[in-house]
Amino acid sequence: MRPAAPGYRQCSGPGRWRGSSCGCARQMLRQVLHAGLATSFHALGRFVASHPVFPARRPCPLHPAQGPLQPTPGRYGRVIVTTRKGSVLDPVHLDTILKLHRRIYQMQVTVPATGFNSFNYSFSYLCLPDDKNVCIIDDIIRAMEEIQSARTSNRSIPVLRYPITQLADGRQAYIGHQLGGVQGWGPSGAVRGPGTGARGEGVRSARALQLTYYLQARGSLMDRVASQWEKAFCTELQHFAALHPKLGLYPSTSSSLRTDFQFSSVLARRPLLASLGVCGVLAILCCSMRDCVRSKPWLGLLALLSITLSGLTAAGILNLTGATYNSTYLGIPFVMLGHGLFGSFEMLSSWRRTREDQHVKERVASVFEDVMLRFSGSTMLHLMTLGLAASPLTNMEAVRLFCRTAALAVTISYVYMLSFYSSCLVFTGYLETGYRHGCFCRRVPKPDRLDSKPAWYRCLMYTRYQDETQTTNPPHGDSHLLLGCVRRCYGDWITNTYVKPFVVLLYLVYISFGLMGFLQVTQGSDPSALVAMDTTTVLYTRAQQRYFSSYSPVIGFYIYESAPYWNVTVQRDLLEYAKGFQRISWLEAYLNYLSDRNQSTSQPRENFTRTLRHSFLREPQFAHFADDIIFAERGQGEEPDVAASRIFLVAKTTENKREEMSVLLDTLRRLSLTSRVRFLIFNPSFVYLDRYAAAVSSPLRHSLLAVLFLLGLSSLAVVEPLVSVWLGLTLLSVQFGVLGFMTLWGVELDCMSVLCLISALGHSADCSGPLLCGFASGRGESRTRWVRVALERHGVPSLQTLICYSAALVPVGSVRSNLTHTLFRCLTLTAGCSALHTLAFLPTLLTFLPPSKSRGHRPGGEGQRQEVECVEMNDSTRVVDQITTV
C-alpha cells in the first residue's frame, strides 16, 4: 500500500462512494498537482543550497531618454498675458502687448548655432501661411492694431465686441478664446460680470489676452528649427516679463507638456534615494531579533539589494532594446518593492520555523517547499494582470508601456529571489549553524565564557545554544518582537468574541465609504495632472481655466450631404439647431445679406446658388466663407449644388466644462440621428472625450478578468478550492476600497491612478494569499486557533512588508509633482486597505465563515499533519472506495 503525501485529507467516507467519487477524483488531482509542485520546489531548494550564485556582472542602467507623454500635433508658441491692475485694452497695456507681438514676430533663431551653413530664421519664415501666403495671426491682434491706429490718428475708436466682433474689413471674427476675463456693457450701460457678455455687446474691460503663433514643421530641418524657435520664444517672454512687471506672462509650447512631464523624474531622484535608505533601515530592524545568532539583519539589506539589482537589470534590458524612460515608471520600483520584500520576509519566517538540527540544505529545501509555491503563484498573478494590461486590448500607450516594463521587472525580481537572495539565505544559514554573530559574523562564545564579560558584551553576544534546551523551537523571549506581539497580544485580541462585532462593523463602514467614493468617480482628462507643480504647463493651465473657461472649444457642424438650403423649412431647422450657440455661420450671414437687400430668402435653387456664388462670396467681408462651402457641378449651363458645408458653434460653459462638453456632445449626436438634414459634429477634444473613458477603464477591467481567470486556474493546484474564492473576494474588496477612498481623497481616474489600481491587485494578493493558504491548510482544532497560527506565520511577514513599504512612500509624498502626489495617495491607500484585510477583516471573518475545520479531525499534537489517500480498488463485482489513513 502506497504511503500518502503530507497535507492530504479524507475526501469521502465509507459507504458514500456513489455520491462523492467525482469529488474524490478532483480532490486527488489537486493533491497530486500540489504534491508535485511542492516536491519540485523542494528539489530546487536543495539545488540552490548546493550551488549558491551571485550576480557576475554589473547591470546596465536605463538612460533617462525623453519619452513622449502624448504627441502634440504641430508646432506652436502660445502665451497668456494678464494685467496686475486694469485692463489689457488700456492704452498703456495695449501698446505693450503690441510691442511684445512685434518682438516675437521679428525674433530670429540661428540653425545650426555655429558654422558657415548657419541661417537665421524668423517667424515670417517659419509661420503657417493662409491661402494668400500670409502668416496666420490671431484676430485680436488685428482688432488691437485698429484700436491703436484710431487712437494715434484721433479717430473714433471702433467698438470691440465679445465674443464675436467685426473687423475693419467687415469680417466677423470669434475672439472668445483670445480675450478673457471680459466685462461687457449691458443694454442700459450697466456693467456685466466677467464672461457674461452677450452676442454683440461691447467690451468694457478684459483681464487677459491669449496669443498663438503657429509654425511649420515639415521635414526634419524645419522641425528642428521650430523646436529652437519655441525655446527662444520662452526665453524672450522671460526677458520681456522682467522688463514689464505690470504684466503676467504664461507661455506654453508644443513641447511644454512633454518637458514638464519628464521633470517629475528629476524632482523625485533624491526622495527615491531617501525612500531606499529608510526602507533599508526598517528592513534591517524587521530581520533583527534578540538572539544575535538567529538574528539576520543583513538579509533585510540584501533583500533590498536584490530588488535594486533586479530593477537595474530590467532597466538595462530596456536600454539595450532602445526603450525610453518616462515619469510613469516611477511606480515600478514600488511594485517590485512590495512583491520582493514580502517574498523575502516569507522565506525568513519559514526559515525560522524549520528544525535547527537539520542541515542547511534541508532547511533551505523546506523553505522552498513551504514558500515558493505561494510566491510563484503571486508572481504569476502579477504577470497576468500586468501582461493583459500591456496587451493590444489596451488602447492607452502609457499603460501598455508601464505594464510591459513592470512585468519585465517582476520577472527579473523573481529570478533574483530564487538565485541571489536564496544564496544569501544559504550563507547566513551556515553562519547560524556555526554560531556566528548575525551582524559581525564573529563566533559567539558559550555561556560559561560570557559570564566574565561586561554586561553590554553579554547583551550584544546573547544567543541560545542547542544543548541548552531539549526543544527545537525557540522560547517566546527569543522570538522576533513583532512575532511576539502577534503571538501573545494581537492574535488573541483580534479573535476575541467581543472584538469581532466591532471589526465587522468596521468592515461595513469601509464598504460604505468605499461605495460613497465609487459613486463619485470622475475621469481625470486634464494632462496637467500628470506634470510637476509650478511648471509652465500648470501655470498656463490655471490661467486658461481662470480666464478662458467661459466658452467651449469651437465645434464644427458639418452638413455632409446636399440639402435644399433654399427651402424655408430647412433654413429654419438649421437656424434652430444653432440657436443658443455663439456661431460663425455662412448660412445665417447669407440670409441676413439677402434680407438687407430686400430679397426673399426662399428662392429657386438656381437663383439662391447664383447669388451665393457671384455676389455674396465676392464681398470682401464674406470671402472667407468660401472655405466653408463645397459646390458640386451639375449639367452644362446649370448652377452647381451645395454638396457640403460647415458652420462653427461655441457653447457657453461654466466651471464644469468637461461634464458640460460630454452632455453637449450626446445631445447633438442624438439630434443628428433624427434630423432631416444629415450632419455630424466634430472637435478634436471629442475624440479624446470619447476614447478616454474606454481607454482608462479597459486595462483595469482586463486585469480583473485576468485575476479571476488565474484564480480559477490556480484552484487546481490548491488543496482547498475555497482559498481561490476567498482570495478573489479579497482582491475585489481591496480594489473597491482603493477606488472609493481614492476618489474621496481628490484623486481622479487618470492614467497614473489606473496604473496604481492594476498594481494593487498583485500587492493585495501578496499580503492576503499566504494567510488564506495557511488557514485553509490546517485541520483539527478550532477556527480561532488556526487564525492565530496563520497570523503568526504569515501575518507577521505581511506586517513587516507593510511597514517598510509605507515608510518608503513617505519621501515620495513630499515631491512637488501632481504625478507623484497621485502615486503617493493611491499606493498609500493600497497599503492601508491591504493591511486592513490581512490583519483585521480576514482573521475575523475566517473564524465563522468557510472553509470548515471539523473535517478530517484526528486527535494529536498541535499542527500534526494527517496523511490520507483515496484508492479505487476494482474487484470482480464492484468498485470499492477504500480510504486508508496513515
Side-chain angles (χ1 to χ4, degrees), residues 327-567:
S327 293
T328 57
Y329 290 0
L330 288 174
I332 294 179
F334 294 97
V335 177
M336 301 171 60
L337 187 67
H339 184 57
L341 281 181
F342 186 78
S344 60
F345 286 134
E346 270 283 306
M347 292 180 69
L348 182 57
S349 176
S350 179
W351 170 270
R352 288 171 176 165
R353 294 196 302 271
T354 57
R355 294 174 52 187
E356 295 181 357
D357 57 351
Q358 287 182 322
H359 193 272
V360 173
K361 295 181 181 180
E362 289 297 330
R363 297 182 71 179
V364 173
S366 299
V367 169
F368 269 63
E369 181 181 1
D370 180 41
V371 174
M372 280 303 162
L373 180 58
R374 295 190 300 269
F375 185 68
S376 301
S378 63
T379 303
M380 286 298 299
L381 193 143
H382 274 278
L383 295 179
M384 182 68 77
T385 56
L386 294 171
L388 197 55
S391 67
L393 297 175
T394 300
N395 53 5
M396 284 189 73
E397 184 66 19
V399 174
R400 285 203 301 266
L401 291 175
F402 176 92
C403 294
R404 191 182 308 159
T405 307
L408 175 64
V410 169
T411 302
I412 297 177
S413 177
Y414 177 77
V415 174
Y416 268 80
M417 190 64 61
L418 289 179
S419 56
F420 175 71
Y421 183 77
S422 300
S423 302
C424 296
L425 182 63
V426 171
F427 281 101
T428 55
Y430 281 113
L431 292 177
E432 179 180 337
T433 303
Y435 285 93
R436 294 187 176 274
H437 199 284
C439 184
F440 306 114
C441 303
R442 180 181 178 182
R443 186 173 178 83
V444 178
K446 290 191 175 182
D448 54 354
R449 297 181 56 186
L450 281 175
D451 293 339
S452 60
K453 302 294 183 179
W456 66 268
Y457 188 84
R458 293 197 304 271
C459 180
L460 186 64
M461 293 293 181
Y462 170 79
T463 188
R464 177 181 51 82
Y465 271 81
Q466 189 67 30
D467 54 2
E468 295 179 21
T469 178
Q470 297 179 354
T471 180
T472 58
N473 294 327
H476 288 232
D478 293 340
S479 63
H480 189 272
L481 176 62
L482 292 178
L483 178 60
C485 293
V486 171
R487 178 181 295 167
R488 293 190 297 268
C489 302
Y490 185 76
D492 296 336
W493 178 79
I494 197 64
T495 56
N496 188 281
T497 305
Y498 299 101
V499 176
K500 293 179 186 178
F502 293 98
V503 177
V504 174
L505 180 62
L506 177 63
Y507 183 70
L508 295 178
V509 172
Y510 168 87
I511 291 296
S512 301
F513 277 91
L515 179 62
M516 183 171 63
F518 181 79
L519 296 176
Q520 302 177 26
V521 171
T522 57
Q523 297 174 3
S525 57
D526 187 4
S528 64
L530 299 176
V531 301
M533 296 180 180
D534 303 327
T535 55
T536 57
T537 299
V538 173
L539 297 177
Y540 172 82
T541 303
R542 290 175 181 173
Q544 191 178 51
Q545 292 175 349
R546 179 178 180 182
Y547 297 109
F548 299 95
S549 59
S550 299
Y551 291 96
S552 70
V554 178
I555 304 170
F557 186 98
Y558 298 89
I559 304 172
Y560 57 88
E561 291 182 357
S562 179
Y565 295 95
W566 56 89
N567 189 289

Side-chain angles (χ1 to χ4, degrees), residues 85 116 147 219 370 446 744:
K85 184 179 180 181
F116 296 102
I147 294 174
D370 180 41
K446 290 191 175 182
L744 296 179

Side-chain angles (χ1 to χ4, degrees), residues 129-134 136 623-624 626-627:
D130 57 11
D131 54 354
K132 298 179 181 179
N133 205 26
V134 177
I136 297 177
H624 64 283
D627 297 331

Side-chain angles (χ1 to χ4, degrees), residues 74-349:
R75 292 280 188 176
Y76 61 86
R78 186 171 289 155
V79 58
I80 293 178
V81 184
T82 62
T83 58
R84 314 288 183 187
K85 184 179 180 181
S87 171
V88 293
L89 300 178
D90 292 343
V92 176
H93 296 322
L94 187 144
D95 295 341
T96 305
I97 293 173
L98 290 177
K99 178 183 177 182
L100 171 64
H101 169 69
R102 287 190 292 270
R103 289 183 60 171
I104 294 176
Y105 208 92
Q106 298 169 1
M107 183 180 64
Q108 294 182 345
V109 293
T110 304
V111 179
T114 58
F116 296 102
N117 297 326
S118 299
F119 189 79
N120 294 329
Y121 298 88
S122 63
F123 177 74
S124 59
Y125 183 85
L126 296 172
C127 69
L128 192 67
D130 57 11
D131 54 354
K132 298 179 181 179
N133 205 26
V134 177
C135 291
I136 297 177
I137 61 173
D138 294 324
D139 292 322
I140 190 64
I141 291 293
R142 293 191 173 91
M144 295 173 69
E145 289 175 343
E146 293 171 3
I147 294 174
Q148 185 186 52
S149 176
R151 285 173 178 165
T152 304
S153 58
N154 292 325
R155 291 185 286 107
S156 60
I157 299 176
V159 178
L160 183 65
R161 303 186 181 277
Y162 183 82
I164 297 178
T165 190
Q166 188 170 2
L167 302 179
D169 58 1
R171 182 171 61 88
Q172 288 188 336
Y174 173 74
I175 59 172
H177 294 154
Q178 300 170 15
L179 204 61
V182 175
Q183 287 185 337
W185 294 104
S188 60
V191 179
R192 293 181 179 269
T196 59
R199 180 181 178 92
E201 286 187 352
V203 176
R204 178 179 179 269
S205 65
R207 295 294 307 277
L209 185 77
Q210 182 169 231
L211 304 177
T212 305
Y213 300 90
Y214 298 99
L215 307 174
Q216 299 184 65
R218 292 175 296 182
S220 59
L221 175 62
M222 293 300 295
D223 185 72
R224 185 173 57 163
V225 174
S227 176
Q228 293 296 325
W229 190 92
E230 289 180 353
K231 295 178 182 179
F233 173 77
C234 295
T235 304
E236 179 65 28
L237 291 178
Q238 291 177 357
H239 293 163
F240 194 85
L243 296 175
H244 300 85
K246 293 183 179 181
L247 295 179
L249 303 181
Y250 304 94
S252 178
T253 64
S254 62
S255 58
S256 295
L257 181 61
R258 180 173 62 251
T259 303
D260 296 340
F261 174 69
Q262 297 294 349
F263 190 57
S264 296
S265 301
V266 179
L267 295 177
R269 288 175 182 173
R270 292 185 178 179
L272 282 178
L273 293 177
S275 298
L276 197 63
V278 172
C279 186
V281 172
L282 289 177
I284 291 175
L285 294 177
C286 287
C287 294
S288 302
M289 54 191 301
R290 182 185 175 190
D291 192 317
C292 66
V293 171
R294 294 164 182 83
S295 177
K296 292 177 172 50
W298 292 117
L299 275 184
L301 192 60
L302 290 171
L304 199 61
L305 178 61
S306 174
I307 297 170
T308 304
L309 290 176
S310 59
L312 291 176
T313 303
I317 293 175
L318 291 175
N319 188 35
L320 293 176
T321 57
T324 57
Y325 174 84
N326 64 72
S327 293
T328 57
Y329 290 0
L330 288 174
I332 294 179
F334 294 97
V335 177
M336 301 171 60
L337 187 67
H339 184 57
L341 281 181
F342 186 78
S344 60
F345 286 134
E346 270 283 306
M347 292 180 69
L348 182 57
S349 176

Side-chain angles (χ1 to χ4, degrees), residues 810-830:
V810 173
V812 179
S814 63
V815 180
R816 290 191 57 79
S817 171
N818 295 322
L819 184 144
T820 54
H821 279 193
T822 300
L823 179 69
F824 169 76
R825 294 179 181 182
C826 293
L827 294 183
T828 301
L829 290 174
T830 298

